[in-house]
Amino acid sequence: MPGPSHRILQGVIMYTSILVPVDGSEHSAKALGVAAQLARASSASLVLLTVAEYPPGNMGLFTGGTPEPFTAEDWGKLADSLKQDAEAALRKVRDSVDLQGIEVEEVIRQGAPAEGILHEAKHRGVDAIVMGSRGVSDMRGMLFGSTSHKVSHVAESTVITVA
């Protein structure tokens, strides 16, 4: 069922706001292309969302280092690095698609991707989420389930996945 503020014009669903999660992958760039077409057809706005995911709190176990927890300084450096990576991923995808004439807002959040997407969609009351069927972490998706799968099963908005 379409989201809370969609319109129907001559039997076609028209959206007013579309959330597009981007991670720098080819699939998220394709999803943004589809979302841009929908936005133009509906005069909708786009919200480009990148969710920077923190690694587990005890990184030493995963990197071959000591099992000591991160210090506050380590977390600060990591947060800065993750934000820079998220900004670069967002820029890469945004610059790959013509968004001229479309109202676009860019948002960077930190946390688990699926939960961040669901929270942002609900908080903003978007009509639709247009996202890639796969992202940059395909191996993780095979092991734990993909972000798009989780979002499509829980979101209150329409979810369009793009392969």
Side-chain angles (χ1 to χ4, degrees), residues 54-55 70-85 110:
Y54 275 119
F70 269 21
T71 64
E73 182 180 346
D74 294 334
W75 281 112
K77 289 178 185 176
L78 178 62
D80 290 344
S81 175
L82 288 172
K83 184 176 181 191
Q84 289 173 358
D85 291 348
Q110 294 174 336

Side-chain angles (χ1 to χ4, degrees), residues 58-152:
N58 193 341
M59 283 302 293
L61 297 175
F62 298 98
T63 61
T66 64
E68 297 297 319
F70 269 21
T71 64
E73 182 180 346
D74 294 334
W75 281 112
K77 289 178 185 176
L78 178 62
D80 290 344
S81 175
L82 288 172
K83 184 176 181 191
Q84 289 173 358
D85 291 348
E87 288 169 345
L90 198 143
R91 220 176 11 258
K92 175 184 174 184
V93 172
R94 180 197 63 217
D95 292 347
S96 72
V97 176
D98 177 17
L99 298 175
Q100 188 172 347
I102 301 171
E103 181 184 333
V104 178
E105 181 180 356
E106 298 174 359
V107 178
I108 296 175
R109 298 282 184 247
Q110 294 174 336
E115 288 76 11
I117 294 164
L118 291 165
H119 172 79
E120 201 68 27
K122 186 171 186 167
H123 172 73
R124 291 173 178 276
V126 299
D127 302 314
I129 302 168
V130 179
M131 62 189 302
S133 60
R134 292 184 204 87
V136 292
S137 57
D138 281 343
M139 180 58 77
R140 183 168 182 253
M142 287 190 292
L143 295 173
F144 302 112
S146 71
T147 298
S148 60
H149 179 80
K150 290 175 188 173
V151 169
S152 67

Side-chain angles (χ1 to χ4, degrees), residues 19-69:
L19 178 67
V20 186
V22 297
D23 62 3
S25 69
E26 180 181 331
H27 287 275
S28 67
K30 287 180 182 178
L32 179 55
V34 169
Q37 291 175 3
L38 289 170
R40 279 197 184 87
S42 301
S43 298
S45 63
L46 297 179
V47 177
L48 308 186
L49 171 67
T50 299
V51 181
E53 185 173 19
Y54 275 119
N58 193 341
M59 283 302 293
L61 297 175
F62 298 98
T63 61
T66 64
E68 297 297 319

